Amino acid sequence: MGRVPCCDNNGLKKGPWTPEEDLKLINHIQIHGPGNWRALPKSAGLERCGKSCRLRWTNYLRPDIKRGRFSLEEEDIIIQLHSILGNKWSAIAARLPGRTDNEIKNYWNTHIRKRLLRMGIDPVTHAPRLDLLDMSSILRSVLGNPSLLNMQGLLGAHVLMNQGFMNLSATASLLSIKNDENPNLASQNYAQSQGAPPQDLTQFQRPVEGFSGNLSCSSSPPLSSTPDLGENENLVLQQNQVGLLGNYPALVHSMNNASQNMGFDSSSTYVKRGVEEEKDSFCGDLFEFEIPESFDIGDIFCSVPQTF
DNA sequence: AACGTCCTCAACCGCTGTAGA
DNA sequence: ATCTACAGCGGTTGAGGACGT
């Protein structure tokens, strides 16, 4: 049996706080300081539970809270920190002076998350959402242009994309083999999709003792400093999908088509919630691979091969 | 003007971690 | 080792406002 909720006692008020209640709470804390929330309501003359008082203080009444809209800089910091910390709102708030975890959480869910979805970026992984691609049009484009089939150029993509996508590319390779001047290429791509590492990225794949974090791709520049990350924090970096696919016009075109087909064109303002959430949970394991804990994020942006 | 739908965000709920008895 | 109280966290809810028809 779980613990009895602190607000179970009947008679304690719930819901929005009145200015009078706020005043009582502020006055009491100014005199006695915060803390001992259980006993505070009684001594402050409030008919609230201690938990409600604590939340009201920490999320709204604290004098160091910065009100008003988030700046673009704050927004950028939130996105970057979220890509590293995930839904650790308190940890993110600790790096944004004047903002509360509740405020950041709300802002993420109501603004940033939706915007990332509209951009075709998975807000959980911060990776491009390949589930939104129109694979049939990609296949048509690829089959019509065998030069696109050198998937090795896709940033050694087999370590970035999931097995399903790579199998798809392998299938495309095999289907197009009769049109290909170099039949070896197709089998090479197929072999890569089945697990053979691309030369360019083997540096990322060396196992390093003691590392258990994940790394997905990243478009944003690395944080200049991300102090106090836990030893086993998953490091998640965003990959700029345009940068990744920029030299593959057919793929970019297909992605754009797919986005529009899914209601993500730039003019739409929002997507129906159900669809959004369905898509949301669909793409979690894309673009992940292992990196050493001591890996310098900045290195990625220097060492990613630019020879697409 | 009336109504319905959607968005925002303060507040709540339920759970976990921790300290002390 | 176990229990209890408490603080804190992340997810969820719902009232109120904005907006569209």
Side-chain angles (χ1 to χ4, degrees):
Chain A
M1 181 170 170
R3 183 187 306 163
V4 178
C6 68
C7 304
D8 250 12
N9 333 27
N10 289 334
L12 291 185
K13 200 178 162 198
K14 288 165 71 173
W17 282 63
T18 65
E20 291 76 27
E21 288 176 312
D22 282 346
L23 204 59
K24 283 183 182 178
L25 182 57
I26 291 170
N27 285 338
H28 185 273
I29 290 178
Q30 277 176 347
I31 296 170
H32 301 96
N36 197 4
W37 297 107
R38 191 83 164 184
L40 186 148
K42 203 170 186 177
S43 55
L46 288 163
E47 292 178 348
R48 297 271 184 174
C49 69
K51 191 172 182 174
S52 180
C53 294
R54 179 175 55 80
L55 283 171
R56 183 63 179 171
W57 174 257
T58 56
N59 287 336
Y60 201 82
L61 297 176
R62 242 174 46 204
D64 57 329
I65 287 180
K66 191 197 294 182
R67 313 299 307 180
R69 288 194 68 81
F70 283 76
S71 67
L72 289 175
E73 190 182 10
E74 287 177 311
E75 206 170 291
D76 200 39
I77 291 172
I78 292 171
I79 292 171
Q80 292 193 33
L81 287 173
H82 187 273
S83 73
I84 295 167
L85 299 166
N87 292 2
K88 305 285 184 199
W89 306 116
S90 59
I92 294 172
R95 293 165 173 82
L96 274 175
R99 299 297 188 181
T100 68
D101 54 352
N102 208 33
E103 199 176 9
I104 293 169
K105 178 174 58 183
N106 282 332
Y107 191 70
W108 176 270
N109 286 327
T110 57
H111 293 94
I112 301 176
R113 182 174 169 275
K114 289 177 184 174
R115 210 175 67 221
L116 292 179
L117 283 167
R118 280 202 299 274
M119 293 164 63
I121 296 171
D122 188 289
V124 178
T125 64
H126 292 251
R129 297 170 56 107
L130 293 178
D131 57 311
L132 300 184
L133 300 184
D134 178 352
M135 288 303 182
S136 61
S137 60
I138 291 177
L139 278 174
R140 274 197 301 275
S141 301
V142 167
L143 289 172
N145 185 357
S147 68
L148 291 175
L149 284 171
N150 183 4
M151 294 299 283
Q152 183 175 7
L154 278 180
L155 196 61
H158 99 285
V159 294
L160 301 175
M161 301 177 178
N162 67 2
Q163 194 61 38
F165 184 84
M166 297 314 297
N167 286 342
L168 192 62
S169 77
T171 305
S173 298
L174 291 172
L175 287 173
S176 68
I177 198 164
K178 54 189 168 191
N179 297 326
D180 199 322
E181 292 176 1
N182 178 10
N184 291 332
L185 180 60
S187 54
Q188 176 190 335
N189 286 330
Y190 183 82
Q192 281 182 13
S193 74
Q194 299 302 310
Q199 291 177 345
D200 288 339
L201 281 202
T202 48
Q203 57 184 311
F204 292 142
Q205 293 187 287
R206 281 198 302 271
V208 172
E209 264 188 27
F211 175 72
S212 61
N214 289 328
L215 173 67
S216 49
C217 319
S218 174
S219 67
S220 302
L223 284 172
S224 55
S225 63
T226 53
D228 304 322
L229 295 180
E231 283 193 357
N232 291 314
E233 292 282 5
N234 288 342
L235 298 178
V236 183
L237 304 169
Q238 299 163 262
Q239 176 72 44
N240 184 328
Q241 56 182 329
V242 175
L244 178 66
L245 301 175
N247 288 355
Y248 289 88
L251 290 180
V252 172
H253 178 68
S254 296
M255 290 181 81
N256 290 337
N257 281 346
S259 294
Q260 283 168 15
N261 290 342
M262 297 299 284
F264 284 102
D265 79 347
S266 57
S267 62
S268 73
T269 53
Y270 63 86
V271 183
K272 288 284 183 194
R273 182 172 295 174
V275 175
E276 218 174 72
E277 284 168 359
E278 184 187 335
K279 291 177 199 161
D280 226 13
S281 60
F282 192 67
C283 191
D285 60 346
L286 292 168
F287 286 82
E288 287 197 350
F289 59 94
E290 304 287 314
I291 62 164
E293 186 182 357
S294 58
F295 192 82
D296 184 349
I297 294 170
D299 287 348
I300 294 173
F301 302 93
C302 303
S303 57
V304 165
Q306 299 295 321
T307 56
F308 304 132

